[in-house]
Amino acid sequence: MSAPTYLAYDYPLLSAFWTMLWFFLWVLWFILLFRVIFDVFRDDDMSGWAKAGWLVFVVLVPFLGVLVYVIARGRGMGKREIAQARAQQQAFDSYVREAAKGSAPTSSVDELARLSEIRARGDITDEEFRRAKELVLSGAGQARQPGTAPTSPTSPASPTSSTHTH
Protein backbone atom coordinates (compact mmCIF):
# COMPACT_ATOMS: atom_id res chain seq x y z
CA MET A 1 0.00 0.00 0.00
CA SER A 2 2.62 2.47 -0.87
CA ALA A 3 0.72 4.25 -3.61
CA PRO A 4 2.02 7.75 -4.27
CA THR A 5 -0.24 10.61 -3.20
CA TYR A 6 -0.62 13.42 -5.68
CA LEU A 7 -1.29 16.92 -4.40
CA ALA A 8 -2.38 20.02 -6.24
CA TYR A 9 1.18 21.28 -6.27
CA ASP A 10 2.28 18.23 -8.25
CA TYR A 11 0.49 19.71 -11.29
CA PRO A 12 1.76 23.19 -12.31
CA LEU A 13 -1.50 24.43 -13.83
CA LEU A 14 -3.54 23.32 -10.82
CA SER A 15 -0.94 24.93 -8.57
CA ALA A 16 -1.32 28.23 -10.40
CA PHE A 17 -5.10 27.99 -10.14
CA TRP A 18 -4.90 27.26 -6.41
CA THR A 19 -2.56 30.22 -5.83
CA MET A 20 -4.82 32.57 -7.79
CA LEU A 21 -7.85 31.36 -5.84
CA TRP A 22 -6.20 32.13 -2.50
CA PHE A 23 -4.99 35.49 -3.79
CA PHE A 24 -8.49 36.53 -4.90
CA LEU A 25 -9.99 35.31 -1.65
CA TRP A 26 -7.55 37.54 0.25
CA VAL A 27 -8.41 40.51 -1.97
CA LEU A 28 -12.11 39.82 -1.48
CA TRP A 29 -11.65 39.64 2.28
CA PHE A 30 -9.76 42.96 2.36
CA ILE A 31 -12.49 44.63 0.30
CA LEU A 32 -15.10 43.27 2.71
CA LEU A 33 -13.03 44.44 5.70
CA PHE A 34 -12.86 48.00 4.39
CA ARG A 35 -16.56 48.01 3.49
CA VAL A 36 -17.38 46.94 7.04
CA ILE A 37 -15.17 49.69 8.47
CA PHE A 38 -16.76 52.32 6.20
CA ASP A 39 -20.23 51.07 7.10
CA VAL A 40 -19.46 51.39 10.81
CA PHE A 41 -18.65 55.07 10.28
CA ARG A 42 -21.59 55.61 7.88
CA ASP A 43 -24.24 54.32 10.29
CA ASP A 44 -25.88 57.28 12.05
CA ASP A 45 -28.05 55.06 14.25
CA MET A 46 -25.07 53.61 16.12
CA SER A 47 -23.62 55.39 19.13
CA GLY A 48 -19.96 56.26 19.37
CA TRP A 49 -19.29 53.45 21.84
CA ALA A 50 -20.96 50.91 19.58
CA LYS A 51 -18.84 52.12 16.66
CA ALA A 52 -15.70 51.86 18.77
CA GLY A 53 -16.68 48.36 19.92
CA TRP A 54 -17.26 47.11 16.38
CA LEU A 55 -13.98 48.64 15.19
CA VAL A 56 -12.01 47.03 18.02
CA PHE A 57 -13.70 43.69 17.33
CA VAL A 58 -13.01 43.91 13.58
CA VAL A 59 -9.39 45.00 14.04
CA LEU A 60 -8.40 42.64 16.87
CA VAL A 61 -10.18 39.54 15.58
CA PRO A 62 -10.47 40.38 11.87
CA PHE A 63 -11.91 37.19 10.35
CA LEU A 64 -14.42 36.56 13.12
CA GLY A 65 -15.21 40.28 13.48
CA VAL A 66 -16.03 40.73 9.79
CA LEU A 67 -18.04 37.52 9.69
CA VAL A 68 -20.10 38.47 12.77
CA TYR A 69 -20.65 42.03 11.49
CA VAL A 70 -21.90 40.80 8.10
CA ILE A 71 -24.23 38.29 9.77
CA ALA A 72 -25.54 40.75 12.39
CA ARG A 73 -25.74 43.94 10.33
CA GLY A 74 -25.43 42.85 6.69
CA ARG A 75 -28.99 43.74 5.67
CA GLY A 76 -28.70 47.25 7.12
CA MET A 77 -25.30 47.56 5.48
CA GLY A 78 -26.87 47.16 2.04
CA LYS A 79 -29.70 49.56 2.83
CA ARG A 80 -27.28 52.24 4.03
CA GLU A 81 -25.19 51.84 0.88
CA ILE A 82 -28.27 52.17 -1.34
CA ALA A 83 -29.43 55.25 0.60
CA GLN A 84 -26.02 56.87 0.19
CA ALA A 85 -25.97 56.09 -3.54
CA ARG A 86 -29.44 57.61 -3.96
CA ALA A 87 -28.44 60.73 -2.03
CA GLN A 88 -25.34 61.14 -4.19
CA GLN A 89 -27.41 60.68 -7.36
CA GLN A 90 -29.97 63.25 -6.22
CA ALA A 91 -27.21 65.73 -5.37
CA PHE A 92 -25.63 65.18 -8.77
CA ASP A 93 -28.98 65.54 -10.56
CA SER A 94 -29.78 68.79 -8.75
CA TYR A 95 -26.30 70.12 -9.54
CA VAL A 96 -26.75 69.29 -13.23
CA ARG A 97 -30.19 70.93 -13.26
CA GLU A 98 -28.83 74.09 -11.63
CA ALA A 99 -25.84 74.21 -13.97
CA ALA A 100 -28.06 73.69 -17.01
CA LYS A 101 -30.55 76.29 -15.80
CA GLY A 102 -27.83 78.91 -15.40
CA SER A 103 -26.18 78.33 -18.78
CA ALA A 104 -29.19 77.74 -21.03
CA PRO A 105 -30.91 80.76 -22.57
CA THR A 106 -34.42 81.20 -21.27
CA SER A 107 -37.35 80.90 -23.64
CA SER A 108 -40.04 83.54 -23.97
CA VAL A 109 -42.48 81.21 -22.20
CA ASP A 110 -40.14 80.99 -19.20
CA GLU A 111 -39.70 84.76 -19.15
CA LEU A 112 -43.46 85.35 -19.34
CA ALA A 113 -44.04 82.91 -16.50
CA ARG A 114 -41.41 84.67 -14.41
CA LEU A 115 -42.98 88.05 -15.20
CA SER A 116 -46.41 86.74 -14.16
CA GLU A 117 -44.98 85.55 -10.85
CA ILE A 118 -43.36 88.94 -10.23
CA ARG A 119 -46.63 90.74 -11.01
CA ALA A 120 -48.61 88.33 -8.80
CA ARG A 121 -46.27 89.11 -5.89
CA GLY A 122 -46.89 92.82 -6.50
CA ASP A 123 -43.28 93.69 -7.30
CA ILE A 124 -44.23 95.35 -10.61
CA THR A 125 -47.30 97.21 -11.75
CA ASP A 126 -49.64 96.13 -14.54
CA GLU A 127 -48.17 98.78 -16.84
CA GLU A 128 -44.61 97.54 -16.20
CA PHE A 129 -45.79 93.99 -16.81
CA ARG A 130 -47.40 94.99 -20.11
CA ARG A 131 -44.22 96.74 -21.34
CA ALA A 132 -42.00 93.85 -20.28
CA LYS A 133 -44.37 91.39 -21.96
CA GLU A 134 -44.19 93.36 -25.20
CA LEU A 135 -40.39 93.29 -25.04
CA VAL A 136 -40.37 89.54 -24.50
CA LEU A 137 -42.84 88.86 -27.29
CA SER A 138 -41.00 91.14 -29.73
CA GLY A 139 -37.76 89.27 -29.03
CA ALA A 140 -35.94 92.20 -27.44
CA GLY A 141 -35.96 90.53 -24.06
CA GLN A 142 -34.16 87.43 -25.35
CA ALA A 143 -30.52 86.93 -24.43
CA ARG A 144 -28.30 88.15 -27.28
CA GLN A 145 -25.30 86.32 -28.59
CA PRO A 146 -21.99 88.10 -27.94
CA GLY A 147 -21.18 90.54 -30.68
CA THR A 148 -24.75 91.03 -31.94
CA ALA A 149 -26.54 94.34 -31.85
CA PRO A 150 -29.57 94.83 -29.60
CA THR A 151 -32.93 94.52 -31.34
CA SER A 152 -34.63 97.42 -29.58
CA PRO A 153 -34.09 100.77 -31.38
CA THR A 154 -34.70 102.72 -28.16
CA SER A 155 -32.10 100.86 -26.15
CA PRO A 156 -29.45 103.19 -24.68
CA ALA A 157 -26.68 100.86 -25.84
CA SER A 158 -28.00 100.87 -29.40
CA PRO A 159 -25.94 102.82 -31.94
CA THR A 160 -29.20 103.93 -33.63
CA SER A 161 -30.55 105.51 -30.47
CA SER A 162 -32.69 108.62 -30.85
CA THR A 163 -29.96 110.77 -29.26
CA HIS A 164 -27.43 109.81 -31.90
CA THR A 165 -27.57 111.66 -35.22
CA HIS A 166 -26.17 110.58 -38.58
Side-chain angles (χ1 to χ4, degrees):
M1 295 259 154
S2 63
T5 316
Y6 292 106
L7 301 174
Y9 288 102
D10 293 335
Y11 299 97
L13 187 59
L14 194 55
S15 173
F17 173 74
W18 192 249
T19 303
M20 287 177 23
L21 178 70
W22 278 111
F23 175 75
F24 285 118
L25 286 175
W26 272 101
V27 169
L28 181 68
W29 183 82
F30 273 111
I31 289 171
L32 187 60
L33 173 70
F34 285 111
R35 287 183 65 155
V36 164
I37 291 172
F38 288 135
D39 187 64
V40 166
F41 285 109
R42 182 185 307 144
D43 191 4
D44 293 331
D45 296 335
M46 233 190 306
S47 70
W49 287 107
K51 289 180 183 186
W54 276 112
L55 284 176
V56 166
F57 188 45
V58 167
V59 170
L60 292 182
V61 189
F63 291 109
L64 184 63
V66 168
L67 182 65
V68 170
Y69 187 88
V70 169
I71 291 170
R73 300 181 51 85
R75 182 172 300 202
M77 189 173 163
K79 289 179 182 177
R80 284 184 292 278
E81 191 167 338
I82 289 171
Q84 182 187 16
R86 283 186 182 146
Q88 286 176 339
Q89 184 65 40
Q90 288 174 348
F92 177 75
D93 290 346
S94 67
Y95 170 75
V96 168
R97 268 189 243 107
E98 289 299 318
K101 188 185 295 183
S103 64
T106 57
S107 68
S108 58
V109 174
D110 293 335
E111 289 185 29
L112 287 174
R114 204 168 340 121
L115 280 172
S116 294
E117 290 174 13
I118 293 171
R119 182 181 65 170
R121 284 193 314 245
D123 293 340
I124 60 174
T125 64
D126 287 337
E127 178 60 29
E128 291 170 328
F129 173 77
R130 186 188 59 76
R131 282 185 291 176
K133 185 172 85 169
E134 287 173 4
L135 282 174
V136 168
L137 293 176
S138 70
Q142 296 291 325
R144 296 188 312 266
Q145 296 295 326
T148 60
T151 57
S152 174
T154 59
S155 170
S158 173
T160 60
S161 177
S162 61
T163 57
H164 182 66
T165 59
H166 294 298

